[in-house]
């Protein structure tokens, strides 16, 4: 892929050879640790310019300090969320909603959707979430003492919860996971093909729910009103695509990285197994250590931000995995301390766009770890195997073979 030239307004001394896509540890790597690899971002200036730091080859300013990221993410007038990351794959410009809307439109749509993912609603879902985790683990242990934890547990667990939320059966699970993998980690051919399939699926689902409403998210969306009017087809598509993509990869990846850590750190594994009350606090530290997302904003005007000459149209990267390794924010940031308290991590972002599904994601991770540790004895990465990790817009892990024989 061609890399865009560095803009003339960027001082040469602020350009750094760093990329969440191509730097060491970012391409698919056996036994990799991409989160530790990005900690090198803190070895230089607090803000620098990366010539290649998006899926489509654009350069971005990279904000390394957590406090500076919070300033960017809070300032929606200067740093816009509208960049059409999904639709641009198709050569189009419509936003995913509410993620890529700016105030005031963002607030109206977020208020519409927030009750669906509120702590109260998540609490009501919890028995089904736990039941699904137990069923999957019991199926694994009934016939094996090892498994590919992403294929056999993390994806079926998190994606089936999301599908239930969307009102869909589990039969399409493998197909949907395949689309998400191609979209988030595929090449220039695979990504647009996956994007078209997802859009066609969401459009068809919306059409079906208009004809035959049921008690699910898509029916709610097609019947909902904003400011006294029904949502347009484009708005319904924007919401549906966001919920679909957000539910398919990130939480499964988080569980995968967490179990990989515990497989390599048996003392912490046994501590959580023997004292499960610690899992709630430990989950916050694992979210700090292994967040999967890079957040991108677009400058709406020229601004000198903490010494960086950011110009209108520049892309600004607030990578959660970099903020969460900030030594000015966290003591010993590269050490995983499962008893860490007052953990102001950035895994779910910050400001008006803080992750709408954070309550559900957090409970899925906690319940997944609780039930895995309660039902699986001491586990390690199977000898002779190596998990494959990757960086990118969304960090990922696969081929994670755990063994407890």
């Amino acid at each position: 892929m061609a890399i865009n030239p560095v803009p003339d307004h960027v001082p040469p001394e602020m350009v750094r050879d760093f990329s969440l896509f191509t730097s060491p540890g970012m391409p698919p790597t056996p036994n990799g640790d991409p989160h530790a690899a990005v900690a090198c971002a803190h070895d230089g200036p607090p803000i620098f310019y990366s010539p290649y730091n998006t899926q489509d080859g654009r350069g971005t300013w990279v904000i390394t300090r957590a406090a500076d990221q919070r300033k960017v993410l809070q300032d929606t007038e200067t740093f816009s969320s509208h960049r059409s990351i999904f639709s641009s794959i198709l050569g189009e410009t419509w936003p995913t909603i509410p993620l890529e809307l700016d105030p005031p439109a963002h607030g109206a749509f977020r208020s519409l959707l927030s009750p669906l993912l509120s702590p109260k609603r998540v609490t009501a879902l919890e028995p089904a979430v736990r039941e699904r985790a137990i069923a999957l683990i019991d199926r694994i242990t009934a016939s094996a003492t090892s498994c590919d934890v992403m294929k056999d547990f993390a994806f079926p667990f998190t994606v089936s919860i999301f599908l239930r939320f969307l009102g869909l059966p589990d039969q399409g699970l493998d197909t949907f996971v395949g689309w998400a993998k191609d979209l988030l980690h595929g090449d220039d051919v695979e990504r647009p093909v996956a994007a078209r399939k997802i859009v066609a699926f969401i459009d068809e689902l919306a059409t079906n729910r208009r004809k035959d409403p049921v008690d699910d998210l898509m029916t709610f969306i097609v019947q909902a009103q904003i400011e006294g009017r029904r949502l347009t087809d484009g708005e319904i598509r924007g919401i549906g695509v966001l919920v679909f993509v957000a539910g398919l990869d990130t939480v499964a990846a988080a569980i995968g990285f967490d179990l990989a850590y515990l497989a390599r750190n048996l003392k912490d594994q046994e501590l959580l197994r023997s004292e499960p009350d610690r899992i709630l606090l430990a989950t916050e530290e694992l979210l700090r250590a292994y967040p999967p997302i890079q957040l991108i904003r677009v400058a709406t005007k020229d601004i000198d931000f903490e010494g960086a000459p950011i110009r209108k149209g520049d892309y600004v990267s607030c990578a959660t995995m970099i903020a969460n390794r900030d030594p000015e924010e966290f003591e010993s940031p590269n050490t995983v301390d499962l008893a860490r308290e007052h953990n102001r991590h950035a895994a779910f972002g910050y400001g008006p766009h803080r992750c709408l599904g954070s309550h559900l994601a957090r409970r899925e991770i906690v319940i997944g770890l609780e039930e895995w540790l309660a039902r699986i004895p001491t586990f390690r990465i199977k000898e002779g195997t190596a998990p494959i990790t990757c960086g990118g817009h969304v960090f990922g892990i696969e081929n994670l073979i755990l063994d407890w024989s």
Side-chain angles (χ1 to χ4, degrees):
M1 177 183 294
I3 298 175
N4 292 328
V6 175
D8 292 340
H9 64 268
V10 178
E13 65 273 15
M14 297 195 78
V15 179
R16 187 170 173 190
D17 184 15
F18 174 90
S19 169
L20 291 177
F21 293 82
T22 60
S23 288
M26 297 302 107
T29 306
N31 284 319
D33 189 347
H35 297 85
V38 300
C40 72
H42 292 287
D43 296 342
I47 301 176
F48 60 86
Y49 191 85
S50 163
Y52 173 47
N53 201 38
T54 68
Q55 207 164 27
D56 56 0
R58 288 177 178 262
T60 75
W61 291 99
V62 177
I63 313 295
T64 66
R65 289 178 182 158
D68 288 341
Q69 286 198 14
R70 288 194 289 269
K71 290 178 188 175
V72 169
L73 297 173
Q74 191 70 39
D75 184 0
T76 57
E77 287 190 15
T78 306
F79 300 103
S80 170
S81 296
H82 190 157
R83 71 182 203 89
S84 304
I85 183 173
F86 180 94
S87 61
S88 65
I89 298 171
L90 302 172
E92 301 170 4
T93 58
W94 47 270
T96 53
I97 297 175
L99 180 66
E100 293 180 329
L101 292 181
D102 293 320
H106 168 264
F109 281 94
R110 189 172 176 103
S111 296
L112 173 71
L113 298 171
S114 287
L116 302 176
L117 289 158
S118 67
K120 182 179 180 181
R121 184 73 181 267
V122 170
T123 299
L125 281 172
E126 188 161 318
V129 174
R130 194 172 297 278
E131 179 184 316
R132 180 62 173 155
I134 293 170
L136 284 166
I137 297 167
D138 285 351
R139 190 167 74 187
I140 293 167
T141 58
S143 58
T145 55
S146 70
C147 75
D148 182 332
V149 80
M150 300 307 293
K151 291 181 178 178
D152 297 336
F153 178 64
F155 276 118
F157 171 52
T158 59
V159 177
S160 66
I161 300 304
F162 150 77
L163 291 176
R164 182 173 301 194
F165 180 69
L166 208 55
L168 297 170
D170 284 348
Q171 284 89 319
L173 190 147
D174 290 340
T175 299
F176 299 147
V177 170
W179 292 351
K181 182 179 178 181
D182 287 347
L183 179 75
L184 298 171
H185 306 293
D187 59 27
D188 291 350
V189 175
E190 294 166 332
R191 290 207 319 276
V193 171
R196 287 188 194 95
K197 289 178 178 176
I198 292 168
V199 167
F201 173 77
I202 292 297
D203 288 349
E204 182 181 6
L205 183 62
T207 298
N208 291 340
R209 291 301 186 260
R210 286 192 190 94
K211 294 176 183 174
D212 300 303
V214 297
D215 183 17
D216 68 1
L217 174 71
M218 186 55 78
T219 300
F220 173 83
I221 294 171
V222 299
Q223 294 180 345
Q225 292 194 348
I226 289 279
E227 298 168 345
R229 63 167 180 84
R230 287 284 175 93
L231 274 60
T232 67
D233 290 348
E235 289 166 343
I236 291 168
R237 177 187 295 162
I239 295 171
V241 165
L242 175 63
V243 172
F244 187 90
V245 175
L248 280 179
D249 196 77
T250 53
V251 182
I255 290 174
F257 280 114
D258 295 352
L259 290 175
Y261 170 81
L262 293 175
R264 293 181 173 117
N265 295 272
L266 299 186
K267 186 177 178 182
D268 279 350
Q269 182 188 143
E270 294 308 324
L271 176 67
L272 297 187
R273 183 178 285 106
S274 61
E275 300 180 45
D277 288 349
R278 292 179 177 266
I279 291 175
L280 200 61
L281 187 62
T283 295
E284 296 306 308
E285 175 66 350
L286 292 168
L287 281 165
R288 183 196 71 83
Y290 302 112
I293 297 290
Q294 171 182 216
L295 305 172
I296 298 283
R297 297 293 183 263
V298 184
T300 61
K301 60 186 177 183
D302 294 354
I303 180 175
D304 183 68
F305 183 83
E306 303 296 323
I310 298 174
R311 296 295 172 258
K312 182 178 180 178
D314 282 1
Y315 277 30
V316 180
S317 165
C318 295
T320 58
M321 58 286 294
I322 294 178
N324 283 356
R325 301 282 175 144
D326 181 2
E328 294 192 9
E329 189 84 5
F330 303 99
E331 185 178 348
S332 303
N334 297 318
T335 299
V336 177
D337 176 6
L338 298 187
R340 191 187 296 269
E341 296 184 335
H342 312 298
N343 198 335
R344 197 181 183 187
H345 64 72
F348 296 117
Y350 186 79
H353 285 278
R354 189 181 186 280
C355 175
L356 196 59
S358 61
H359 303 301
L360 179 58
R362 181 178 270 116
R363 288 311 297 162
E364 285 183 84
I365 295 168
V366 169
I367 290 169
L369 292 177
E370 285 175 346
E371 299 304 334
W372 185 270
L373 290 165
R375 286 168 166 74
I376 302 286
T378 303
F379 57 88
R380 298 171 174 82
I381 293 173
K382 189 170 185 175
E383 191 174 342
T385 72
I388 308 295
T389 62
C390 66
H393 186 66
V394 178
F395 281 21
I397 183 169
E398 61 183 6
N399 195 48
L400 178 56
I401 314 299
L402 299 184
D403 182 270
W404 53 93
S405 58

